[in-house]
Amino acid sequence: MSIEIAHPRRGPGYGWNSELLDLDAYLDRIGYRGDRAPTAETLRALHLAHIAAIPFENLEVVFGRPVDLDLGSVQDKLVRRPRGGYCYEHVGLFAAVLERLGYTITGLLSRVVMDSDRLIPATHSLLLVEASGTRWICDVGLGCGPLGPIEFADGAQDTEGGWTNRLHEVSGTGEWEVQRWTGERWMVLHRFTTNPAYTIDHRVGNHYIATHPRSPFSGDLHAMRIGPGFLHTLDGTVLTTTRPDGAVDKRRLAASEVPGVLAKQFDVVLDTDDSAALVAYLEP
């Protein structure tokens, strides 16, 4: 079945500010030394390298600081410092990279449901990318994968590092699901439509995520790091490691342990002041 998608508009405000990107610094940050031609092979390599190098975290919200989405601020935080960010930061950066390299990209918004039946705001950002005559869903900002792009087709799958994800078109709704195989069943991670989204939509969603009292990120620390065979998540002081077969190891940390765990297992390194502030925030 052919899915028609409105092509993103052109003009001021509709692009990803790639002229402001320090491409060489970004590629050095993710350890990429390969081809820069806008092919599916390059796209996959960049996607894998980005997720491996730059973690998911919401520490600016925890510290009560604004999350700036201008490309200069995002590059300073995610590229030049040993930090991570959440979806709008990741996707804005990755979109600028792909735009600079010559890909045709469309921003999308999604509802992160994690198997819930509740109606969740569409505050997750992802990309639809055209490469080598095929369209791909790229989801570098979810924190828990997918590790690689997924072809934009009903039932298409990607398996990398033991993790298997697929796309499912929800009949009659106009929605698509990103699903993960848990070892026993397909779990719905999030649902999206193909309506184009732009940087201004990111700003609106970012305001909700960073400030609204019902936002999942405004009340506690969250960090995620996924790789071959593991998914580390830190929710407050609870550290969980999940394996592709569904095995789970969970333990509660002392507040004083958290900065060290962030550095060792998530590659998020805080300075002395931020470490002290985080410990104070997490202490009972």
Side-chain angles (χ1 to χ4, degrees):
M1 177 179 177
S2 176
I3 306 297
E4 294 299 327
I5 298 173
H7 198 280
R9 296 185 183 183
R10 307 298 182 188
Y14 289 100
W16 299 94
N17 301 309
S18 59
E19 70 279 2
L20 304 177
L21 176 73
D22 187 340
L23 180 60
D24 289 337
Y26 169 81
L27 296 177
D28 185 63
R29 170 75 162 97
I30 68 171
Y32 181 76
R33 302 289 184 271
D35 188 19
R36 300 188 185 188
T39 64
E41 291 76 15
T42 300
L43 178 66
R44 180 171 184 79
L46 289 170
H47 197 291
L48 291 167
H50 181 109
I51 289 181
I54 309 178
F56 179 102
E57 47 104 331
N58 72 327
L59 280 158
E60 299 307 300
V61 178
V62 170
F63 293 139
R65 298 194 292 242
V67 179
D68 295 320
L69 297 184
D70 64 278
L71 190 57
S73 296
V74 172
Q75 288 186 104
D76 182 63
K77 183 183 173 192
L78 273 65
V79 174
R80 299 187 177 95
R81 298 163 59 194
R83 289 288 305 277
Y86 54 45
C87 67
Y88 297 122
E89 298 166 280
H90 280 273
V91 170
L93 177 61
F94 198 62
V97 171
L98 298 184
E99 185 178 72
R100 172 72 72 84
L101 294 176
Y103 289 94
T104 298
I105 56 179
T106 304
L108 305 174
L109 291 176
S110 183
R111 304 178 192 275
V112 179
V113 296
M114 296 297 178
D115 257 4
S116 169
D117 290 329
R118 293 189 302 128
L119 183 60
I120 307 295
T123 56
H124 176 57
S125 177
L126 63 158
L127 297 171
L128 181 69
V129 183
E130 297 179 24
S132 301
T134 301
R135 292 177 294 184
W136 307 84
I137 290 295
C138 293
D139 197 2
V140 296
L142 187 61
C144 58
L147 291 177
I150 306 176
E151 182 181 351
F152 185 60
D154 187 26
Q157 297 186 18
D158 174 72
T159 299
E160 187 71 37
W163 301 102
T164 297
N165 296 273
R166 75 174 182 184
L167 285 183
H168 170 65
E169 184 179 11
V170 184
S171 178
T173 68
E175 289 188 319
W176 291 72
E177 294 178 342
V178 177
Q179 303 176 339
R180 164 161 297 158
W181 181 247
T182 66
E184 297 180 348
R185 63 185 180 86
W186 290 103
M187 172 185 177
V188 179
L189 301 181
H190 59 90
R191 298 188 180 100
F192 66 91
T193 68
T194 58
N195 296 327
Y198 304 95
T199 54
I200 194 169
D201 300 311
H202 283 195
R203 296 190 191 105
V204 173
N206 182 54
H207 178 70
Y208 174 88
I209 285 293
T211 66
H212 197 281
R214 294 187 64 181
S215 163
F217 295 153
S218 65
D220 213 343
L221 166 66
H222 297 285
M224 286 184 276
R225 187 80 182 272
I226 191 168
F230 73 88
L231 168 62
H232 298 316
T233 62
L234 184 62
D235 298 310
T237 58
V238 178
L239 175 65
T240 304
T241 298
T242 305
R243 306 294 179 186
D245 64 2
V248 176
D249 176 63
K250 182 179 295 189
R251 67 186 180 97
R252 185 172 294 277
L253 308 172
S256 59
E257 295 180 89
V258 171
V261 168
L262 281 171
K264 182 177 180 180
Q265 294 193 243
F266 295 87
D267 287 341
V268 173
V269 181
L270 302 179
D271 63 27
T272 301
D273 289 344
D274 279 354
S275 292
L278 179 61
V279 172
Y281 177 87
L282 294 171
E283 283 180 339

